[in-house]
Amino acid sequence: GNILLKNNLYWSGFFMIGLPTETPDDIRATIELVKVLRPNYSTFSIFTPYPGTELYEMLLDDGAIGENAQWQLYNHQSRRNNFTGVIDDEQFKELVDEASRAFDANNNRLGNLYSRALSKAAVYSSSPTELLKDAKKYLNYAGVLGKR
């Protein structure tokens, strides 16, 4: 991360939490990794075992997924996606909230907001309305216009 930042290269970090056997310490280590790497933009997804994948079959065999699971309740951002097998649902939701706060804090650092704006210079020159929309968003993030 530091090499990219030193050379003014805009980069994004994509992370996943909630994999089978992942512990609270593992999820917290992922959160800490974002703080250490400091990507210009970071996001995370919550593991979802999609039918037809090896992990889906493993969880089905282990009884962690029922044959008639209501998949409309699950997606890669759902706090219901606790397939770790080792974290209770309430703690998992708390860890997801902790991750959300940490990733938002990373993304809302003024330097990151500025870097993202610079990376969109070509878009802004051809679409001034995009510049105005993003400027308002960035001022909200910075707390100038109030809470998001």
Side-chain angles (χ1 to χ4, degrees):
N2 286 336
I3 292 171
L4 296 171
L5 294 172
K6 282 181 188 176
N7 289 289
N8 295 318
L9 295 173
Y10 181 89
W11 70 285
S12 299
F14 299 92
F15 301 83
M16 184 175 293
I17 63 172
L19 290 152
T21 73
E22 192 169 29
T23 67
D25 288 341
D26 294 330
I27 292 174
R28 287 188 185 102
T30 299
I31 293 168
E32 287 305 311
L33 184 60
V34 171
K35 294 175 184 177
V36 169
L37 293 177
R38 297 182 6 232
N40 296 110
Y41 180 79
S42 59
T43 190
F44 72 95
S45 293
I46 302 167
F47 168 73
T48 303
Y50 291 105
T53 64
E54 287 182 38
L55 285 174
Y56 175 86
E57 296 300 325
M58 180 188 86
L59 292 168
L60 192 62
D61 291 344
D62 291 346
I65 300 174
E67 286 285 342
N68 298 315
Q70 296 180 349
W71 289 104
Q72 70 273 17
L73 300 177
Y74 300 95
N75 66 60
H76 67 279
Q77 294 300 319
S78 175
R79 296 178 342 151
R80 296 175 190 241
N81 284 19
N82 181 9
F83 296 100
T84 63
V86 296
I87 304 172
D88 69 62
D89 288 343
E90 191 58 38
Q91 184 180 23
F92 186 74
K93 288 176 183 176
E94 290 170 8
L95 288 164
V96 170
D97 290 344
E98 183 180 333
S100 292
R101 287 189 301 274
F103 280 71
D104 283 348
N106 177 72
N107 294 337
N108 294 338
R109 289 192 343 248
L110 216 41
N112 281 349
L113 295 171
Y114 180 70
S115 295
R116 280 201 299 283
L118 287 179
S119 74
K120 294 177 77 174
V123 172
Y124 295 152
S125 66
S126 65
S127 177
T129 55
E130 278 299 308
L131 173 61
L132 294 174
K133 283 184 353 189
D134 281 354
K136 182 178 178 183
K137 184 183 349 175
Y138 297 145
L139 291 171
N140 276 327
Y141 283 147
V144 174
L145 296 179
K147 296 231 178 236
R148 320 188 264 156

